[in-house]
Amino acid sequence: MFIDWDGARGMTNIEMPRLDRDGLEDRSFGRFGRAWSHIRQNGLLEPLRLVHRHGLGASLGFVQRNIRHMLADRIARKWDRRHRVDTAGSIQLGALNVIGPHRAMGNEAVCTSPRTFDFIMKSLPRDLHNHTFIDIGSGKSRTLLLASQYPFAEIIGVEFARELVDIARSNIERFRDPSQKCRALSVVEADAAAYDFPQVPLVVYFYNPFSKDVFDIVLMNLVSSLERHPRDCVIVYGSSSHRAIDWARPAIRETGIFRELAVPAMPGFLDAVRTIDYAVFQVQAAV
């Protein structure tokens, strides 16, 4: 048994590890059941004690976040069934086989929701048909599959957890959608800090995959690649926890070669576990 602290608000869930059908620890499963078990273990007055301890506002917020998570997870699994894939869940990294020394700096694998991704795509430059889309920390591949509905030249996922790579490759083989415009999809099993970016125009997507220390290395490698081989590059950085956008945005600006594009605020879509804060940057071919 372990205690999962819910963000900066200090509320807690007491959880037992829950495995999905592939044997991965998935905290999206069984939230209601875990809550009921906690009440049975601590007595029917436990909810009142939690409200007294944390306050009514924080307690209602905690309940609201968990209801939203369960709703988004249900929608995600419906999307998976429709496309005969397995991309949903909140997968923990602790027991997975990973490449490289950065396991402790990686975040749980949570995929971008379809409506969130489509909204972000509307904020990008329009003519990206000759660009390669790269998802850094691609998890089970949902973002790759969503990107395939746009006319990219190629789509690549970079993932350091072997189990997630295997699931992603299986998903890519099974995925079929009439709106799919790019079928050149692949997943590279690698530590993102050691990944060599291809020498083509790029759209590089980050959904808060790891800590600032690793991000700084990946960003430095990307900048070095652009300086050696000048070409167009768009960076999308999104975060919904840890306030990662607060350090990612200035880090990208401080490279001196990217300009931030104006983008609209993200709505609170029901298929998203959390609302994403995001920023978009672009460097022209002449670096």
Side-chain angles (χ1 to χ4, degrees):
M1 184 181 297
F2 58 93
I3 297 179
D4 178 34
W5 289 88
D6 184 39
R9 296 173 178 82
M11 301 297 290
T12 62
N13 279 329
I14 297 181
E15 305 183 0
M16 293 296 293
R18 181 69 180 268
L19 304 182
D20 71 1
R21 68 186 185 190
D22 296 295
L24 307 181
E25 184 187 336
D26 184 355
R27 291 189 193 171
S28 293
F29 276 126
R31 284 177 169 247
F32 180 80
R34 291 196 301 269
W36 177 241
S37 296
H38 182 60
I39 291 172
R40 288 179 63 187
Q41 181 180 358
N42 294 275
L44 295 176
L45 295 179
E46 177 65 5
L48 296 179
R49 286 193 289 268
L50 290 173
V51 170
H52 178 74
R53 185 184 311 159
H54 299 287
L56 180 60
S59 299
L60 289 175
F62 175 75
V63 171
Q64 182 182 37
R65 290 192 299 276
N66 276 272
I67 290 175
R68 176 174 179 174
H69 191 124
M70 289 187 288
L71 176 60
D73 184 65
R74 182 179 293 272
I75 294 172
R77 295 184 193 280
K78 182 178 179 181
W79 189 90
D80 279 1
R81 289 193 297 272
R82 184 166 69 250
H83 296 288
R84 295 186 297 175
V85 295
D86 171 22
T87 68
S90 178
I91 308 303
Q92 309 306 301
L93 304 178
L96 303 185
N97 294 299
V98 304
I99 291 178
H102 298 122
R103 176 199 300 275
M105 299 178 184
N107 295 325
E108 63 182 350
V110 180
C111 294
T112 306
S113 79
R115 295 188 68 183
T116 296
F117 187 80
D118 287 341
F119 187 87
I120 290 174
M121 286 301 302
K122 292 175 182 177
S123 302
L124 302 190
R126 289 290 180 262
D127 188 14
L128 297 174
H129 69 279
N130 67 335
H131 287 55
T132 292
F133 180 94
I134 300 180
D135 182 14
I136 301 294
S138 53
K140 288 183 174 184
S141 77
R142 190 198 299 165
T143 301
L144 305 179
L145 303 179
L146 295 173
S148 75
Q149 297 173 326
Y150 294 85
F152 290 108
E154 187 177 0
I155 296 168
I156 300 172
V158 180
E159 175 56 53
F160 76 160
R162 182 162 302 157
E163 292 87 346
L164 300 184
V165 170
D166 291 343
I167 293 171
R169 288 173 176 168
S170 177
N171 286 336
I172 289 170
E173 290 179 2
R174 294 198 304 265
F175 182 75
R176 293 292 181 273
D177 190 285
S179 64
Q180 192 171 16
K181 295 181 174 62
C182 177
R183 299 188 183 275
L185 282 73
S186 62
V187 180
V188 177
E189 185 178 351
D191 184 334
Y195 178 67
D196 290 326
F197 288 91
Q199 298 172 22
V200 295
L202 301 172
V203 174
V204 185
Y205 186 87
F206 299 88
Y207 181 19
N208 189 23
F210 32 61
S211 70
K212 184 179 186 302
D213 291 340
V214 180
F215 178 74
D216 286 344
I217 297 171
V218 176
L219 181 61
M220 179 181 64
N221 292 343
L222 176 59
V223 170
S224 296
S225 177
L226 294 171
E227 290 175 341
R228 291 193 308 270
H229 306 283
R231 59 204 187 275
D232 188 48
C233 177
V234 175
I235 290 179
V236 179
Y237 194 98
S239 74
S240 58
S241 59
H242 311 297
R243 293 306 306 168
I245 194 73
D246 291 342
W247 49 255
R249 176 182 270 124
I252 299 170
R253 288 173 178 165
E254 288 166 9
T255 64
I257 67 171
F258 288 98
R259 61 186 178 91
E260 185 169 0
L261 306 182
V263 296
M266 180 69 65
F269 294 120
L270 289 179
D271 67 344
V273 170
R274 305 180 187 94
T275 300
I276 292 180
D277 293 320
Y278 75 108
V280 178
F281 297 82
Q282 184 174 25
V283 60
Q284 300 302 323
V287 178

